[in-house]
Amino acid sequence: MAVGKEEVEEIVKARTDKREYRRIVLPNSLEVLLISDPDTDKCAASMDVSVGAFSDPDGLEGLAHFLEHMLFYASEKYPLEDSYSKYITEHGGRTNAYTSSEHTNYHFDINADAFEEALDRFAQFFINPLMSADATMREIKAVDSENQKNLLSDGWRMNQLQKHLSAVDHPYHKFSTGNWDTLEVRPKAKGLDTRSELIKFYAEYYSANVMHLVVYGKENLDKIQGLVEDKFKEIRNIDRNCPRFVGEPCTSEHLQILVRAVPIKEGHALRVAWPITPEIHHYKEGPCRYLSHLIGHEGEGSLYYILKTLGWATGLSAGEGESTFDFSFFRIDIDLTDAGHEHMQDIIGLLFKYISLLQQSGICKWIFDELSAVCETKFHYQDKIQPISYVVSISPNMQKYPPKDWLVRSSLPSNFSTDIIQIVLNKLSPNNVRIFWESKKFEGQTNMVEPWYGTAYSIEKITGSMIQEWIVSSPNENLHLPAPNVFIPTDLSLKNDHEKAKYPVLLRKSPYSTLWHKPDTMFFTPKAYVKIVFTCPHASDSPEAEVLTNIFTQLLMDYLNEFAYYAQVAGLNYGISHTDSGFQVILAGYNHKLRILLETVVEKIASFEVKADRFSVIKEMVTKEYQNYKFRQPYEQAMYYCSLILQDHTWPWMEELDVLPHLEVEDLAKFVPMMLSRAFLECYTAGNLERNEAESMIQHIEDVLFKGSNPICQPLFPSQHLTNRVVKLEKGKSYFYPVEGLNPSDENSALIHYIQVHRDDFMLNVKLHLFALIAKQPAFHQLRSVEQLGYITALLQRNDCGIRGALFVIQSTVKDPAHIDLRAEEFLKAFKSKLYEMTNEEFKSNVNALIDMKLEKHKNLREEAAFYWREISDGTLKFDRIESEIAALRQLTQQELIDFFNEHIKVGAPHKRTLSVRVYGKSHSSEYKIDKSSPGQASSIKIDDIFSFRRSQPLYGSFKGNHVKL
């Protein structure tokens, strides 16, 4: 029996939240939050253990993280290796875990009917895990592979540099991931056995009283409680205290420092940090939330607005950074332009001027009240999210907050306290600042190297008086507090739209546009979603056009920023981005003032002019984005080449980078009117909008762009309705494209092994999906757990405009891509017998799991819109796809699945079409030379030139050819 539903204050939940919550404590002191949601299709659980990398023993860096990897393997009750992830994957779920400084979090979700057994398997890891010697060795390699993928990532590198420059005896200083050296080589040299240390660590720290569990089920609370009591009561309680790490990580030698560091990627950044009192101690007063709202503001008069106007910055964020119960940092990150890099002292001066403005203005009650109101609306009208994400957002916070605030946490600042905000503001002084300045311009000018990632850096001590000089010499700009926010919604009522349309309807069709509308019959929230896709044939007819369209969309966002930022603060988001055939505008959030924002965006498009100063900033930013393509993970590069080979009418980023330096203001000024001169708008509206509102919005856009004496846009000619076409690989052939990784320093190689199967068809779709469901976990088990080819290993499905297939993605330092290609084929050969040996019961169970996955309801407006928009943009328009595919699944036989495998997937199948993209990293350069010079055979054809290949291949027909009727 649980210690019970002890009388605690009621758990505060959102007004719109129909779920039920209950806190219980088991006799072993495990504290649990039960959540009952009769509407859910997926159940989920998250166990948070209050121990993390800060508790790693000296000389065994990464042990807590390694334990997180090992715990999943097997338990005494379920000894078969990887059987937990097999069970979860085969029942439509997924499983994951993470390690942070003071927490290790394990979580999964699964179809509701399989929840009880999944929970039992999950609980056993905390009761009697099996950490076999054989698995230990293999999983050290997985941790090492995970670390390898992070070595050239600036986020990981700069984070570790900040830790490195702290007190050696504070755990913040540690390296937390672990690698081959820390988990195998060094322990061995000291005569330590890593597995014994692992078991010792588990025995010492994993105790029920420092664990917090969240269980999200479909049954009522009493049923879920009975389940939890039964499954988790055996976890031992050794009455451990939560590890606490008192003391500041930064002593005086780590404050008042200016660190110059060399990043991997192009670009310059300033990261400014101060040690502060953790927000958790004053979460109802929200001092960091108040200060980050002001320092991170982007409206007129803000620090960012001034830096942007001066052409010095392209992004700024502010807020509490890494924090524990005992220490925290307030951080400000600023992305600099080349000019901004030359004005670092002025920027720091302006930052401190803004902080001084906050001191002089006093803590403003109206700003706090406005922020509090925005937070309250956001909390009470929050969208539902996936259960797995929901439980993971709660469990690590249960130790920090009282139960009544487990859901609210720090999201509802409600106590206005000038004193508490003032205390944190006072900490943001020149006397305890840490400034990290990143730029490739520092190459060759540094004298130190961070040991774990090899980041080059140097340190200079700075004094308060030096910063005082920077403040005095910085430009005199009109810094001021933000204005009251006119975008805060005041009408949160729901429209009485009596339409019960199950699917989107085509509301109107004109020579200028189509409008699809989906009334809200699911979510009943005062929000709307509007998407307008501009098809402009001139936007993508050359690499130059593609780049200019990109610059045009980023300039639009840039022009709108100080106005639209207020809307974003108030929960109305927007985005403008370029697409394959033009650009798109998306607005999502509270519907009350959405029309105001939409009309402003359209007005900006209609009156677009190129401002020379902003053009040069955006051009510089876009150039760096393109230059940084080469630093993407090798598997991402392989995905890119795969798309370039398959999708007709796509331009390579190298050509786009080549044209960029030569583009000037006048090129864009000439281009935009031409691009807009022929346009067609595909529009989708959904949520709390009535039909007539949606129609009038689109009518307004047509009036602005297409009507009047001198219209900006004309309708497309029938021949100009472009569509994306996909290369049709030849049956019985396998193609391979060997290429060197773009970053010569990256040791990692990658393989994409793609099997093209069919053009969208309900029965073939479900056969492919069922194959992928059954093969996904065995592929992971064999290629990652057993063969340890690499941390990133997955079997996925791919859909290019309705052309479907399956692909293996593997990134590795241990084997070259051609070798991994053979291993993927070996897996398929072995998998064939699994299909033949599958019992009828197992087949039915897999079919039912897939049906349950397909029946999973959309959680919010964005998810629903993404699903329906895919049908519209691909041209498939099968809005009843789910019902039709389930009907196909119910008719499917096991023999039909085997026949499908033998025809399309099996190695050597006469109808099989395969494309392997092999990206060779630094550690496999000699193998690259062999693969590159191999002639290929009749059935295995090497692609030497992507564009010659693309031109010579037939294309699938596009679904966009079909005419839609009103």
Side-chain angles (χ1 to χ4, degrees), residues 262-309:
V262 182
I264 297 291
K265 290 187 170 182
E266 296 295 334
H268 325 278
L270 271 176
R271 305 190 192 285
V272 186
W274 296 266
I276 55 159
T277 307
E279 179 96 333
I280 184 70
H281 297 294
H282 304 293
Y283 66 93
K284 288 289 181 206
E285 290 77 15
C288 288
R289 191 175 274 268
Y290 175 90
L291 292 170
S292 66
H293 169 66
L294 293 174
I295 299 172
H297 210 280
E298 297 182 17
E300 205 173 308
S302 66
L303 174 63
Y304 177 66
Y305 175 79
I306 298 299
L307 295 177
K308 182 182 155 219
T309 309

Side-chain angles (χ1 to χ4, degrees), residues 22 33 40 90 98 101 147 254 268 327 345 356 384 400 446 578 600 709 771 796 816 959:
R22 177 185 295 167
L33 175 65
T40 194
E90 286 183 353
Y98 70 80
S101 303
N147 184 58
H254 308 113
H268 325 278
F327 76 86
Q345 296 179 358
S356 139
K384 243 186 172 180
K400 300 179 197 166
T446 58
H578 77 294
T600 309
S709 55
F771 156 72
L796 307 168
D816 69 273
F959 288 98

Side-chain angles (χ1 to χ4, degrees), residues 470-494:
W470 299 353
I471 294 170
V472 171
S473 64
S474 66
N476 277 323
E477 297 290 338
N478 183 20
L479 290 164
H480 59 80
L481 296 178
N485 192 338
V486 296
F487 276 105
I488 293 176
T490 50
D491 178 2
L492 295 164
S493 61
L494 299 180

Side-chain angles (χ1 to χ4, degrees), residues 354-567:
Y354 193 81
I355 290 168
S356 139
L357 165 76
L358 298 183
Q359 291 280 17
Q360 290 153 18
S361 312
I363 310 302
C364 300
K365 187 167 190 306
W366 76 265
I367 293 177
F368 183 86
D369 290 345
E370 185 183 87
L371 189 59
S372 179
V374 166
C375 289
E376 194 172 350
T377 305
K378 183 178 180 180
F379 177 75
H380 286 296
Y381 293 97
Q382 60 185 287
D383 289 337
K384 243 186 172 180
I385 57 174
Q386 295 184 336
I388 191 170
S389 307
Y390 194 56
V391 295
V392 172
S393 72
I394 299 167
S395 61
N397 290 293
M398 288 164 69
Q399 177 222 338
K400 300 179 197 166
Y401 294 91
K404 73 179 175 69
D405 287 330
W406 279 349
L407 307 181
V408 171
R409 304 187 287 283
S410 61
S411 66
L412 284 183
S414 50
N415 301 346
F416 178 63
S417 163
T418 52
D419 293 353
I420 287 170
I421 297 173
Q422 191 66 50
I423 287 167
V424 178
L425 179 57
N426 291 345
K427 296 262 184 173
L428 310 188
S429 87
N431 300 330
N432 58 349
V433 70
R434 287 158 58 89
I435 302 171
F436 290 78
W437 185 12
E438 298 163 29
S439 173
K440 281 203 151 168
K441 294 210 168 160
F442 298 140
E443 275 177 337
Q445 300 172 27
T446 58
N447 59 352
M448 294 183 200
V449 175
E450 187 281 314
W452 297 107
Y453 291 82
T455 306
Y457 72 97
S458 62
I459 303 186
E460 177 189 340
K461 273 303 249 184
I462 47 173
T463 60
S465 57
M466 280 168 74
I467 291 177
Q468 211 48 54
E469 285 171 27
W470 299 353
I471 294 170
V472 171
S473 64
S474 66
N476 277 323
E477 297 290 338
N478 183 20
L479 290 164
H480 59 80
L481 296 178
N485 192 338
V486 296
F487 276 105
I488 293 176
T490 50
D491 178 2
L492 295 164
S493 61
L494 299 180
K495 314 278 165 137
N496 308 326
D497 203 337
H498 299 299
E499 284 191 63
K500 290 289 167 269
K502 190 175 178 187
Y503 303 122
V505 287
L506 185 60
L507 269 196
R508 76 195 282 279
K509 190 179 173 189
S510 75
Y512 316 110
S513 70
T514 51
L515 167 59
W516 294 92
H517 179 64
K518 171 69 179 74
D520 179 8
T521 54
M522 282 267 296
F523 312 112
F524 308 109
T525 163
K527 295 178 181 179
Y529 181 93
V530 174
K531 180 165 190 155
I532 296 150
V533 174
F534 287 72
T535 299
C536 305
H538 296 305
S540 55
D541 58 12
S542 69
E544 283 94 341
E546 185 107 346
V547 176
L548 286 165
T549 306
N550 185 0
I551 294 175
F552 162 72
T553 59
Q554 298 212 34
L555 269 174
L556 274 175
M557 293 276 287
D558 184 82
Y559 294 174
L560 285 158
N561 193 61
E562 39 273 13
F563 173 78
Y565 183 77
Y566 283 97

